Amino acid sequence: MGKDNSGKELGKGIRQNKNGRYEARYVDRFGNRKSVYGSSKVEIRNKLQEALKENAQRESVKRRLTVTQWYREWMKVYKEPLIRPNTKRHYEHIFEAHILPKLGAMYVDEVRQMHIKNLINVLDAAGYQWETQNKVRILLLDLFNIAIENDFALKNPAKGVRLAKNRPNDRIVLSVEEQKDFFECAAGTFYNNLFVTAVNTGLRPGELCALEEEDLNFEERSISVTKTLLYQKFDGDGAKTFHIGPPKTESSVRTVPMNEACEKALHRQIRLKKILAEKYGNVGEFKDILFVTKFNTPICATVFNDAIKRIISEVNLQRDGTEQIPVFSAHTFRHTFATRCIEAGILPKTVQKYLGHANLQMTMDLYVHITEEFKREELKKLEEI
């Protein structure tokens, strides 16, 4: 039994130090001596009670692993049998580059939400975009969920963590692997020709949806971009409606080359358009528009984006929880096209012309996002040298 400085009994494990502060000692579930401190008898007894209660609640956590140790086991047992080699390399990069330095040495059962939130803040301050921050968060969510199932932790500290930046609407670029999976799933669907043309030309959604057969030159394998389709309420309109207008800027009027995949998609779409026109008839001034809905009507952004979401949902059913493709808008095809061009070694000035930008800076700042995968591959060239 401990005593205070006047000799009065305080209870088992509690004592008053010479400086007047109270100390309570106990042995935790791992056999380690622990202490809590307080400035009064009431405070120290409450703190001791809370510590003993938490220790009892965590009795099921029998084995202590660091985050790094658990990550290795998690990868070996739960991930490697299911994921592809490229995905494993992607996980390794996320963990070693972003998680290991801050959390790797901590014990799994001692990681708190504040530690993960601080990690996200550090990534944000270092200039990492939403996509990277979110991949770190998703990996940790899965890592700790399975740790709970194995009695290595009681709570998931990654739950409820908000990213330092809200997700941008359009600033997403598909990796090569994501692009491959998306188009394998989209093959044969109604809007696949639209998707293929979008990702192989970099045209804006409105420019795509305004294309007519007369804009296509199959002999020279080129597309003339001279107009855009708008779905807006102008003066005199009773509600939102479709309008054909000039492209976004003067530099947006351009000629874009079509590659083989794009050419095939456009031929398929011409045949499909004729079938729809025969079935549903033509729609006034929009009768020659090539990319239309199943009812031969113009396509608005909502229809375009909903069609993309359906494919993403199907793809993600076959993907691991930590490698889900984020929902993206039609504009992502434009970003992806620009990024693939740069990765393929096409000169930035040429990419600027493809995209119809007035200056090169706009192209590089807004539309080209060199992927982590590409940066790792480029670094290998240095190693080879």
Side-chain angles (χ1 to χ4, degrees):
M1 299 288 283
K3 298 181 179 181
D4 65 13
N5 291 337
S6 63
K8 292 183 179 180
E9 297 289 344
L10 294 173
K12 185 178 179 180
I14 304 176
R15 68 178 185 178
Q16 186 178 24
N17 295 323
K18 291 182 180 180
N19 62 6
R21 286 182 61 77
Y22 293 87
E23 178 184 1
R25 294 181 176 179
Y26 68 98
V27 178
D28 71 9
R29 62 196 179 283
F30 300 110
N32 301 317
R33 285 189 171 275
K34 298 284 186 178
S35 294
V36 291
Y37 299 90
S39 57
S40 68
K41 295 177 183 178
V42 173
E43 183 182 4
I44 194 61
R45 285 169 180 155
N46 287 339
K47 283 192 172 182
L48 178 60
Q49 187 177 9
E50 289 175 6
L52 292 173
K53 181 180 178 181
E54 180 181 358
N55 189 57
Q57 287 176 336
R58 292 180 173 269
E59 190 64 32
S60 62
V61 183
K62 300 291 186 181
R63 182 180 170 201
R64 300 198 85 185
L65 293 173
T66 65
V67 172
T68 299
Q69 289 171 330
W70 171 234
Y71 168 80
R72 299 302 175 200
E73 292 198 21
W74 170 81
M75 175 59 71
K76 181 179 179 181
V77 176
Y78 290 95
K79 296 301 168 183
E80 283 184 359
L82 301 174
I83 61 179
R84 291 163 287 194
N86 278 347
T87 303
K88 182 186 175 183
R89 286 194 291 271
H90 182 59
Y91 285 173
E92 293 286 351
H93 173 73
I94 292 174
F95 183 81
E96 292 176 6
H98 305 308
I99 298 174
L100 178 62
K102 291 291 182 182
L103 304 180
M106 294 185 68
Y107 286 110
V108 170
D109 63 310
E110 290 185 347
V111 178
R112 299 291 183 266
Q113 187 186 77
M114 64 176 290
H115 297 125
I116 295 177
K117 178 58 181 171
N118 182 60
L119 170 59
I120 296 297
N121 290 341
V122 169
L123 292 175
D124 183 58
Y128 288 97
Q129 298 299 309
W130 185 93
E131 290 84 358
T132 300
Q133 297 176 29
N134 193 46
K135 286 173 182 176
V136 168
R137 183 184 66 86
I138 290 174
L139 191 154
L140 289 171
L141 272 171
D142 193 70
L143 189 72
F144 281 99
N145 272 338
I146 299 179
I148 292 170
E149 293 175 6
N150 285 274
D151 296 328
F152 297 145
L154 285 178
K155 295 181 180 180
N156 191 329
K159 271 191 174 180
V161 172
R162 294 186 177 183
L163 301 186
K165 289 181 178 176
N166 293 325
R167 191 181 80 194
N169 293 325
D170 295 319
R171 299 292 294 278
I172 297 175
V173 170
L174 299 178
S175 68
V176 172
E177 188 176 332
E178 289 171 339
Q179 184 175 338
K180 178 175 177 290
D181 286 354
F182 180 92
F183 282 94
E184 283 182 354
C185 187
T189 61
F190 183 82
Y191 290 106
N192 186 52
N193 297 329
L194 176 62
F195 300 153
V196 171
T197 304
V199 84
N200 283 285
T201 61
L203 268 62
R204 299 178 180 92
E207 295 169 346
L208 277 167
C209 295
L211 284 180
E212 299 177 4
E213 190 173 348
E214 66 177 21
D215 298 319
L216 313 177
N217 187 330
F218 290 108
E219 290 185 4
E220 296 184 4
R221 298 183 73 178
S222 65
I223 301 171
S224 295
V225 182
T226 59
K227 53 189 177 297
T228 189
L229 182 69
L230 305 170
Y231 184 63
Q232 295 179 1
K233 181 181 178 182
F234 290 167
D235 290 341
D237 294 336
K240 275 188 175 183
T241 188
F242 288 100
H243 300 273
I244 291 287
K248 188 175 181 181
T249 63
E250 185 177 331
S251 57
S252 297
V253 177
R254 63 200 187 278
T255 299
V256 178
M258 64 171 78
N259 60 16
E260 184 178 355
C262 179
E263 182 179 7
K264 289 179 178 179
L266 289 169
H267 278 303
R268 290 194 300 266
Q269 188 62 28
I270 289 171
R271 292 194 294 270
L272 177 59
K273 167 68 179 182
K274 289 178 180 176
I275 293 171
L276 293 172
E278 290 175 2
K279 186 174 182 180
Y280 296 104
N282 290 314
V283 187
E285 64 177 306
F286 307 110
K287 62 183 178 64
D288 295 323
I289 285 179
L290 193 57
F291 291 108
V292 291
T293 69
K294 295 178 181 180
F295 304 103
N296 197 30
T297 56
I299 297 175
C300 67
T302 300
V303 171
F304 200 161
N305 292 331
D306 285 347
I308 293 171
K309 288 177 186 177
R310 286 193 291 272
I311 303 300
I312 294 172
S313 296
E314 289 295 322
V315 173
N316 284 341
L317 288 175
Q318 305 171 52
R319 279 181 157 246
D320 183 77
T322 52
E323 56 173 349
Q324 299 280 291
I325 296 178
V327 174
F328 59 83
S329 74
H331 218 78
T332 289
F333 291 131
R334 183 167 163 86
H335 294 296
T336 302
F337 167 79
T339 301
R340 291 293 98 82
C341 284
I342 296 298
E343 291 174 351
I346 296 175
L347 294 174
K349 193 68 177 177
T350 303
V351 179
Q352 174 198 342
K353 298 300 181 183
Y354 290 165
L355 297 175
H357 285 155
N359 58 71
L360 181 60
Q361 192 66 39
M362 182 182 297
T363 302
M364 300 307 292
D365 287 349
L366 295 179
Y367 288 90
V368 180
H369 312 264
I370 302 302
T371 62
E372 293 295 327
E373 177 185 355
F374 179 71
K375 284 188 279 189
R376 290 196 296 273
E377 291 300 317
E378 288 295 285
L379 191 58
K380 288 181 182 177
K381 296 179 181 179
L382 181 61
E383 294 172 355
E384 291 170 2
I385 293 173

